[in-house]
Amino acid sequence: MGRIRTNSSTAEDLLIHVDRSAAEPLHRQIAASIRGGIRAGRLRLGTSLPPTRTIAADLGVSRGVVVEAYQQLVAEGYLTSRAGGYTRVAVEPVPP
């Protein structure tokens, strides 16, 4: 039997917080929170992140905001993603 995989974390579990009164756009705040978690070691290499819909619902933002944050972190090398699969913390560490 195959391994059961889950990525049922929430925004709170990932320590993602947004400040709607801040000048910084929401997608950048989310990306910064996830990036900080990776750099601090709270999000280990290879860890699956929650679906964008889950994070969006937890934070009360549109899914597009979370998708943009995830895409930015993929572009920076912090996350890996593929269609139909989980978004994960990159296995290769990003230089500081």
Side-chain angles (χ1 to χ4, degrees):
M1 188 183 285
R3 251 170 59 189
I4 297 173
R5 297 154 92 178
T6 182
N7 61 349
S8 60
S9 300
T10 64
E12 188 175 318
D13 294 339
L14 297 176
L15 301 178
I16 298 173
H17 302 284
V18 294
D19 179 358
R20 294 178 189 285
S21 65
E24 185 174 31
L26 295 175
H27 71 277
R28 288 189 182 164
Q29 292 180 46
I30 294 167
S33 291
I34 295 170
R35 188 183 302 109
I38 294 168
R39 286 182 174 170
R42 287 189 313 272
L43 294 172
R44 295 182 179 188
L45 303 179
T47 300
S48 294
L49 295 182
T52 55
R53 283 182 176 86
T54 301
I55 297 294
D58 289 348
L59 295 174
V61 300
S62 74
R63 179 175 172 257
V65 169
V66 181
V67 168
E68 194 168 351
Y70 276 25
Q71 287 175 338
Q72 179 61 42
L73 293 169
V74 167
E76 292 175 11
Y78 285 96
L79 302 178
T80 60
S81 182
R82 63 179 174 80
Y86 293 122
T87 301
R88 298 179 178 275
V89 176
V91 176
E92 294 295 322
V94 177

